């Protein structure tokens, strides 16, 4: 026999699976007639509950999605027609049309928020309305017109208010592209209200709704949902300085006023109130994952919402992994270790499935320094690495080089990638300079490099050599440009060359478009970034400088013009006016800078080696004379000197104890013994002390004010003789020196006149 509870569950499951029209028919034909059967008390309770619901939802906003779609689509059609008319007419109403469309969709946001957060109904309808707003903004931003200034510079004020008129949150946006932040804010409240007030039918729809958001706005939108539209590094719920947030002007909210208000579940027919419902509500401080206007019932559902978002992001990771998604999953996980193990197992299974997954796997392994796993992957699946994945491969090789067992393999890969990039640059140069490999031109450039940079004929020969290697007809005008010039039409700058694969510059319209990445890599390869990245990677690896020197030698052998900066500048000047060759100009410039740095390092190393060799030769030649001079100085220091006899004394004073060379006891153990006078001196020769310098009298401080006395301080010249000659005043008091007048006292007549007269020949 079926119980009442089981019957109710089966009926609810069947009723939820029916179309809305059938549900309405069952209510009218089957459920309403049951009120006549029950007693009057229960009938009054049902009517009272229905009346309360009616009063609660009396002011509920109405979302007419079809009417809004017709209104906005009409504005978009007019915007497209205006874009066509702007080619013929000079005036355009694009700005006014964009403002009307944006205002039409943003005026709807407060109604959507009130519907899902305050009334807790029509969640799916509100979700479709938000999806429609995202599509409209995307069409306006990426419409027919290439100029987006009107859209990105638009001022958009948006305010969310309660039914009572109190402000919950307000934004002052400068640029309509930032409206997505408000959409994420409303979506978060929508999902939390579904988890708090919805039934199982609503909760089962959450993964599907998250998939819709991910398909439309990528997985980064899922992460922003957790923080109400802001990134995790700058959550909007934390009180900030308004100067640090240029988009949000004001945020005002209190605790939920409707926390204890009547809801659809609060009827007399409900179950008794449980004990945990009487637990006092603790006010939470606002944080990155908690808004100030949330009630306890809403905020308590945040952990379930995080789990739903985590599942959705993990599903995306299984299909298209990336380092950013991996870091986001670990940052939002409540158990990072378990999440990391789970994601690593997924990577191990699908690492070699395609190039995108292989690059993501290398990037994640490099983050965790898994050198063994990186070496195993690169050993068998290097062919999966694309040129655009050069930065990923560089970080992986750097991590692999940290392991001494794989360092040699890493150096080999660095050398190979550097040479491959240089060869790709050389091959690209053969387009505008097809005669570069002609033997006569090779001989000519070698002769030019032997000339001095200041030689008068060097520049003329360089210009003739560049003309000789240029492709014939390279500088001829494009036939389309010539026809436009004859007809009087403006000439497009991109029509300058014959070999331009992208004459209209289509690849430059949107440099961030991932759909054009393959074509951009083919026609605009990033050779400069690739070569500089590998050069920087080599500097971080032990032994990388040797690899760079080897690559430099190979470069100057295959492209000898890199040894001369003036030759490189002349070649690049021929390509500077061709926009499609800008990547080649950057690549050759990077190779030239690399060759210049390596040339300086080689010259510095050679100079240092030569200096050390000369120093070693001088040391070997001065060895015997230095030893003899050392012996002479030793013998001189031990002999008595009359100049130091007044400042020296005996090494030991009588009565002063002298420490012995060693001390021991009768038992053979080394112990300290106090020295005595009777102790015999050690047989070890003492090192003589250095000779004492004569005491110089202290120099008087310079006066604050000086006066001219007529004294001229003339430095002594070669003719000045030694002081202290025998004169009329006695020894040391003046007189004639060897080469002129001298004296002991610098202030005396003999010292001033004799020294000055002896050195007067040195004065200019």
């Amino acid at each position: 026999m079926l119980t009442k509870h089981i019957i109710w569950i089966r009926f609810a499951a069947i009723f939820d699976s029916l179309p809305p029209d059938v549900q309405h028919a069952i209510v009218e034909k089957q459920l309403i007639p049951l009120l006549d059967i029950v007693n009057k008390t229960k009938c009054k309770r049902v009517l009272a509950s229905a009346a309360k619901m009616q009063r609660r939802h009396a002011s509920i906003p109405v979302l007419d999605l079809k009417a809004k779609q017709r209104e906005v689509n009409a504005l978009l059609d007019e915007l497209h027609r205006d874009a066509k008319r702007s080619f013929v007419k000079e005036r355009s109403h694009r700005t006014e049309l964009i403002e009307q469309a944006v205002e039409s969709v943003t005026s709807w946001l407060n109604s959507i928020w009130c519907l899902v957060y305050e009334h807790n109904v029509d969640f799916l309808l509100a979700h479709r309305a938000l999806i429609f707003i995202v599509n409209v903004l995307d069409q306006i931003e990426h419409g027919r017109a290439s100029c987006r200034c009107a859209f990105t510079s638009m001022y958009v004020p948006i305010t969310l208010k309660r039914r009572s008129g109190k402000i919950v949150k307000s934004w002052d946006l400068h640029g309509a592209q930032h409206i997505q932040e408000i959409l994420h804010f409303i979506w978060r409240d929508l999902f939390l209200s579904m988890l708090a007030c919805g039934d199982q039918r609503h909760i089962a729809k959450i993964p599907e709704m998250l998939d819709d958001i991910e398909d439309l706005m990528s997985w980064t939108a899922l992460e922003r949902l957790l923080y109400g539209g802001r990134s995790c590094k700058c959550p909007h719920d934390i009180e900030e300085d308004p100067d640090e947030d240029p988009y949000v002007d004001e945020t005002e909210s209190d605790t939920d006023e409707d926390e204890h208000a009547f809801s659809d579940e609060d009827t007399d027919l409900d179950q008794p109130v449980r004990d945990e419902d009487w637990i006092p509500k603790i006010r939470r401080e606002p944080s990155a994952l908690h808004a100030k206007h949330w009630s306890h019932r809403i905020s308590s559902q945040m952990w379930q919402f995080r789990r739903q978002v985590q599942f959705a992001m993990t599903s995306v990771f299984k299909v298209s992994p990336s380092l950013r998604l991996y870091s986001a999953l670990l940052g939002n996980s409540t158990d990072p270790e378990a999440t990391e193990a789970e994601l690593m197992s997924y990577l191990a299974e699908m690492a070699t499935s395609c190039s995108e997954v292989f690059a993501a796997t290398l990037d994640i392994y490099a983050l965790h320094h898994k050198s063994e796993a990186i070496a195993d992957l690169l050993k068998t699946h290097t062919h999966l690495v694309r040129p655009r994945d050069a930065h990923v491969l560089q970080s992986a090789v750097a991590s692999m080089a940290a392991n001494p067992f794989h360092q040699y393999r890493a150096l080999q890969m660095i050398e190979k990638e550097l040479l491959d990039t240089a060869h790709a640059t050389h091959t690209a140069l053969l387009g505008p300079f097809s005669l570069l490999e002609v033997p006569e031109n090779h001989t000519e450039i070698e002769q030019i490099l032997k000339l001095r940079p200041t030689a008068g004929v060097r520049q003329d020969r360089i210009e003739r050599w560049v003309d000789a290697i240029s492709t014939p007809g390279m500088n001829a005008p494009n036939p389309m440009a010539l026809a436009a010039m004859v007809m009087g039409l403006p000439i497009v700058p991109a029509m300058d060359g014959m070999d331009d694969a992208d004459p209209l510059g289509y690849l430059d319209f949107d440099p961030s478009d991932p759909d054009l990445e393959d074509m951009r890599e083919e026609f605009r390869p990033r050779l400069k970034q690739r070569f500089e990245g590998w050069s920087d990677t080599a500097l971080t690896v032990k032994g990388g400088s040797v690899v760079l020197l080897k690559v430099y030698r190979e470069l100057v052998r295959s492209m000898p013009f890199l040894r001369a900066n003036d030759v490189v500048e002349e070649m690049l000047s021929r390509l500077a006016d061709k926009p499609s060759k800008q990547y080649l100009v950057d690549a050759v410039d990077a190779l030239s800078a690399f060759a210049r740095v390596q040339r300086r390092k080689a010259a510095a190393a050679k100079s240092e080696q030569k200096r050390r060799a000369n120093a070693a030769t001088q040391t070997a030649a001065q060895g015997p004379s230095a030893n003899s001079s050392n012996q002479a100085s030793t013998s001189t220091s031990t002999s008595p000197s009359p100049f130091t006899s007044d400042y020296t004394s005996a090494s030991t004073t009588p009565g002063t104890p002298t420490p012995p060379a060693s001390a021991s006891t009768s038992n053979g153990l080394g112990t300290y013994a106090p020295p005595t006078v009777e102790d015999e001196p050690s047989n070890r020769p003492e090192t003589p002390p250095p000779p004492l310098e004569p005491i110089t009298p202290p120099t008087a401080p310079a006066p604050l004010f000086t006066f001219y006395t007529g004294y001229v301080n003339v430095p002594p010249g070669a003719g000045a003789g030694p002081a202290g000659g025998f004169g009329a005043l006695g020894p040391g008091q003046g007189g004639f020196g060897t080469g002129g007048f001298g004296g002991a006292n610098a202030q005396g007549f003999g010292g001033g006149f004799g020294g000055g007269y002896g050195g007067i020949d040195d004065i200019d």
Side-chain angles (χ1 to χ4, degrees), residues 364-643:
I364 295 173
Y365 283 173
L367 178 66
H368 293 284
H369 305 287
K370 295 181 177 295
S371 57
E372 294 291 342
I374 293 174
D376 294 340
L377 289 177
L378 294 179
K379 185 177 181 180
T380 56
H381 294 83
T382 313
H383 60 279
L384 293 177
V385 180
R386 301 165 298 180
R388 74 177 77 166
D389 301 327
H391 64 284
V392 176
L393 185 60
Q394 290 163 9
S395 60
V397 170
S399 299
M400 187 175 66
N403 190 340
F405 296 100
H406 303 292
Q407 184 176 352
Y408 180 71
R409 169 65 176 164
L411 292 175
Q412 285 182 334
M413 295 188 65
I414 292 174
E415 179 183 356
K416 177 181 177 299
E417 294 296 333
L418 284 171
L419 292 178
D420 288 347
T421 307
H423 293 161
T425 305
H426 182 266
T427 303
L429 275 176
L430 295 179
F433 304 107
S434 59
L435 303 179
L436 184 62
E437 299 297 329
V438 176
E440 291 80 3
N441 294 330
H442 263 287
T443 305
E444 178 63 16
I445 190 61
E446 293 292 343
Q447 296 296 327
I448 292 175
L449 294 176
K450 295 178 182 178
L451 297 176
R452 289 181 175 273
T454 59
V457 298
R458 180 182 175 95
Q459 185 62 29
D460 296 337
R461 295 185 65 176
I462 290 175
E463 293 178 359
R464 290 196 299 269
W465 180 78
V466 175
D467 293 336
I469 65 175
S470 298
T471 301
M474 183 67 185
N475 296 325
N478 192 302
M480 296 176 62
L482 182 61
M485 182 180 62
V486 172
M487 298 174 61
L489 298 177
I491 300 176
V492 181
M495 293 182 179
D496 193 26
M498 290 285 293
D499 61 337
D500 195 355
D502 185 22
L504 298 178
Y506 177 72
L507 296 177
D508 300 330
F509 283 163
D510 190 2
S512 61
D513 188 359
D515 297 334
L516 301 177
E517 191 65 30
D518 294 334
M519 295 180 62
R520 195 176 294 111
E521 184 61 36
E522 180 180 358
F523 299 109
R524 305 281 196 277
R526 301 176 181 176
L527 299 175
K528 175 185 177 181
Q529 292 81 357
R530 195 187 311 169
F531 188 86
E532 291 179 347
W534 283 112
S535 301
D536 296 340
T537 304
L539 295 176
T540 61
V541 180
K542 183 179 180 181
S545 57
V546 179
V547 172
L548 294 179
L549 184 60
K550 185 177 179 181
V551 172
Y552 164 72
R553 293 172 180 172
E554 179 63 24
L555 279 180
V556 297
R557 185 193 64 79
S558 60
M559 292 179 283
F561 56 86
L562 293 176
R563 291 184 292 173
N565 296 331
D566 50 356
V567 178
V568 174
E569 291 177 359
E570 182 63 27
M571 294 177 63
L572 297 183
S573 64
R574 306 295 178 91
L575 304 175
D577 56 345
K578 296 177 173 59
S580 62
K581 299 298 180 182
Q582 185 60 40
Y583 78 95
L584 186 57
V585 174
D586 297 338
V588 176
D589 190 22
L591 293 181
S592 177
F594 171 79
R596 185 163 56 251
V597 171
Q598 295 301 319
R599 187 163 57 248
R600 291 176 181 175
K601 288 184 178 180
K606 186 176 180 180
S607 177
E608 180 67 18
Q609 184 179 5
K610 185 177 180 180
R611 187 189 64 80
R612 292 182 179 179
N614 293 337
T617 304
Q618 293 178 2
T619 303
Q622 296 177 359
S625 61
N627 295 334
S628 60
S629 62
N630 292 336
Q631 294 176 2
S633 62
T634 303
S635 62
T636 304
S637 63
T638 55
S639 60
S641 175
F643 298 98

Side-chain angles (χ1 to χ4, degrees), residues 187-502:
W187 250 316
R188 182 177 66 169
D189 286 359
L190 183 149
F191 286 117
L192 292 176
S193 299
M194 288 181 67
L195 291 170
C197 305
D199 52 11
Q200 293 298 325
R201 179 175 58 89
H202 292 104
I203 297 176
K205 290 288 184 179
I206 291 180
E208 182 180 351
M209 297 165 67
L210 292 176
D211 291 340
D212 295 338
I213 298 174
E214 189 275 327
D215 292 338
L216 194 60
M217 307 171 67
S218 78
W219 65 266
T220 56
L222 300 179
E223 183 185 16
R224 287 179 174 270
L225 285 177
L226 295 174
Y227 304 95
R230 304 300 300 273
S231 61
C232 57
K233 295 182 180 180
C234 187
H236 78 280
D237 292 322
I238 299 178
E239 294 183 359
E240 301 169 340
D241 187 3
D243 296 335
E244 298 178 359
D245 192 352
Y247 306 122
V248 179
D249 177 65
E250 183 181 6
T251 300
E252 297 181 3
S253 63
D254 295 323
T255 55
D256 193 359
E257 297 176 351
D258 297 332
E259 181 177 355
H260 304 289
F262 178 81
S263 63
D264 293 347
E265 291 79 13
D266 297 334
T267 64
D268 296 335
L269 303 178
D270 293 334
Q271 297 294 330
V273 179
R274 295 172 295 180
D275 294 337
E276 55 267 21
D277 292 339
W278 294 100
I279 298 177
K281 307 299 187 300
I282 300 176
R283 180 180 176 85
R284 297 190 179 185
E285 295 296 331
S287 62
L289 299 175
H290 181 80
K292 291 189 291 184
H293 67 279
W294 287 352
S295 63
H296 174 75
R297 183 180 58 177
I298 296 296
S299 60
S300 62
Q301 304 298 324
M302 191 62 196
W303 69 275
Q304 294 189 21
F305 181 54
R306 289 187 64 182
R307 187 175 62 178
Q308 295 281 355
V309 173
Q310 189 80 4
F311 289 159
M313 294 173 66
T314 305
S315 301
V316 177
F317 186 85
K318 294 179 182 179
V319 178
S320 57
S322 64
L323 179 60
R324 289 184 58 196
L325 179 55
Y326 175 82
S327 302
L329 284 169
L330 292 184
N332 297 326
S333 175
T334 56
D335 189 0
E337 295 181 357
T339 303
E340 180 181 350
E342 180 184 3
L343 299 180
M344 285 297 178
S345 63
Y346 295 147
L347 286 178
E349 295 175 359
M350 58 180 180
T352 59
S353 59
C354 62
S355 298
E356 290 82 0
V357 179
F358 186 77
T361 304
L362 289 179
D363 213 2
I364 295 173
Y365 283 173
L367 178 66
H368 293 284
H369 305 287
K370 295 181 177 295
S371 57
E372 294 291 342
I374 293 174
D376 294 340
L377 289 177
L378 294 179
K379 185 177 181 180
T380 56
H381 294 83
T382 313
H383 60 279
L384 293 177
V385 180
R386 301 165 298 180
R388 74 177 77 166
D389 301 327
H391 64 284
V392 176
L393 185 60
Q394 290 163 9
S395 60
V397 170
S399 299
M400 187 175 66
N403 190 340
F405 296 100
H406 303 292
Q407 184 176 352
Y408 180 71
R409 169 65 176 164
L411 292 175
Q412 285 182 334
M413 295 188 65
I414 292 174
E415 179 183 356
K416 177 181 177 299
E417 294 296 333
L418 284 171
L419 292 178
D420 288 347
T421 307
H423 293 161
T425 305
H426 182 266
T427 303
L429 275 176
L430 295 179
F433 304 107
S434 59
L435 303 179
L436 184 62
E437 299 297 329
V438 176
E440 291 80 3
N441 294 330
H442 263 287
T443 305
E444 178 63 16
I445 190 61
E446 293 292 343
Q447 296 296 327
I448 292 175
L449 294 176
K450 295 178 182 178
L451 297 176
R452 289 181 175 273
T454 59
V457 298
R458 180 182 175 95
Q459 185 62 29
D460 296 337
R461 295 185 65 176
I462 290 175
E463 293 178 359
R464 290 196 299 269
W465 180 78
V466 175
D467 293 336
I469 65 175
S470 298
T471 301
M474 183 67 185
N475 296 325
N478 192 302
M480 296 176 62
L482 182 61
M485 182 180 62
V486 172
M487 298 174 61
L489 298 177
I491 300 176
V492 181
M495 293 182 179
D496 193 26
M498 290 285 293
D499 61 337
D500 195 355
D502 185 22

